[in-house]
Amino acid sequence: MPNEFHPSPVTIFLREVALPLAGLVSLCLVNYFVFHRFFHSHYLRWYISAGPFIGLATAAFGAAWGGLDNNVGLISANPRRYIRACRLAAGLPIYVFGGVLRSKNQPRSISKRDILFGLPLIVVFLVAAFGWLLFVAPLQYFVFLICGAPSRIVLSSNYAVHARMHGRRLTYEEKTTADPKPQKGQGWDASMRDKPVSLTNAFGAITLFFIGKLLS
């Protein structure tokens, strides 16, 4: 039986970390040149000042996904996994829009009014998705590398807390992730593990806000 090929630690490091990280850094440098050359602006300062709008864009992707927090690769410290998650985050809503607009998936004709108003907004969304991939995602990796630490710590633990309101009194009970979650109307899982991307996005927005204040 032939020996199975096992990549060396160096090969794994190059494939998983070094090359993807070099790609992200290269995109940041390209963006720095593009902003300086064509927009007469500073890429890093633009990113910091646009922090709230970037948060809204991430929230928009979350609305399109219906469960962006399931895409935990967005807060991964592994750059290769992060890049893959970003492609998925932008690609899924684009795929959905494409499927919705196919004639075979339209049992009823679309009104001319909806076409007039809807198609330009869909085009804007698609352009924004590609813009997010090119201009936001590369630098966001380094922001989330720091601001995603609390979420990664939470996800690495099997500790859970089930909380419940009794009138104005809050009660909670320590559990593990192996325990079933509370049924609807009987409390909730307050372990902060169900919203890792949202939590990281909140930490990132706060961090960018304070950095912006310091630089101003």
Side-chain angles (χ1 to χ4, degrees):
M1 183 176 182
N3 294 329
E4 294 183 2
F5 173 74
H6 296 284
S8 66
V10 174
T11 302
I12 295 175
F13 176 78
L14 288 173
R15 183 182 62 194
E16 296 290 331
V17 180
L19 293 178
L21 186 60
L24 290 170
V25 172
S26 298
L27 265 179
C28 288
L29 293 175
V30 169
N31 289 337
Y32 177 86
F33 170 79
V34 169
F35 271 71
H36 179 74
R37 178 68 176 81
F38 297 101
F39 303 121
H40 306 289
S41 178
H42 193 285
Y43 175 54
L44 182 58
R45 286 186 178 274
W46 168 83
Y47 186 92
I48 293 172
S49 63
F53 298 102
I54 292 171
L56 287 174
T58 305
F61 280 128
W65 263 69
L68 188 64
D69 286 285
N70 294 326
N71 191 5
V72 293
L74 288 173
I75 64 169
S76 175
N78 182 299
R80 186 166 183 257
R81 194 172 301 132
Y82 171 80
I83 292 172
R84 187 186 305 120
C86 287
R87 292 203 306 265
L88 293 175
L92 180 58
I94 293 174
Y95 178 81
V96 171
F97 273 129
V100 168
L101 293 175
R102 292 194 191 102
S103 58
K104 67 176 183 179
N105 297 326
Q106 291 290 339
R108 296 175 298 180
S109 60
I110 306 174
S111 70
K112 294 181 180 179
R113 181 190 63 246
D114 288 341
I115 293 176
L116 177 64
F117 296 126
L119 289 182
L121 290 175
I122 291 175
V123 171
V124 169
F125 182 90
L126 298 181
V127 172
F130 283 112
W132 182 83
L133 279 175
L134 292 176
F135 300 123
V136 175
L139 196 53
Q140 183 178 263
Y141 167 78
F142 300 98
V143 175
F144 279 13
L145 182 63
I146 299 171
C147 297
S151 292
R152 290 193 294 270
I153 291 174
V154 170
L155 291 175
S156 68
S157 171
N158 64 352
Y159 178 75
V161 173
H162 294 176
R164 186 176 182 180
M165 293 296 298
H166 292 276
R168 295 184 178 180
R169 187 166 62 92
L170 172 67
T171 62
Y172 54 88
E173 186 177 2
E174 293 186 342
K175 298 283 188 177
T176 69
T177 54
D179 295 313
K181 292 185 178 182
Q183 296 181 359
K184 187 177 181 179
Q186 297 184 359
W188 70 93
D189 186 348
S191 309
M192 299 189 297
R193 68 178 66 255
D194 291 336
K195 300 290 183 181
V197 179
S198 298
L199 183 63
T200 300
N201 192 44
F203 277 118
I206 294 172
T207 301
L208 292 175
F209 173 79
F210 281 110
I211 292 176
K213 287 296 183 181
L214 289 174
L215 292 178
S216 62

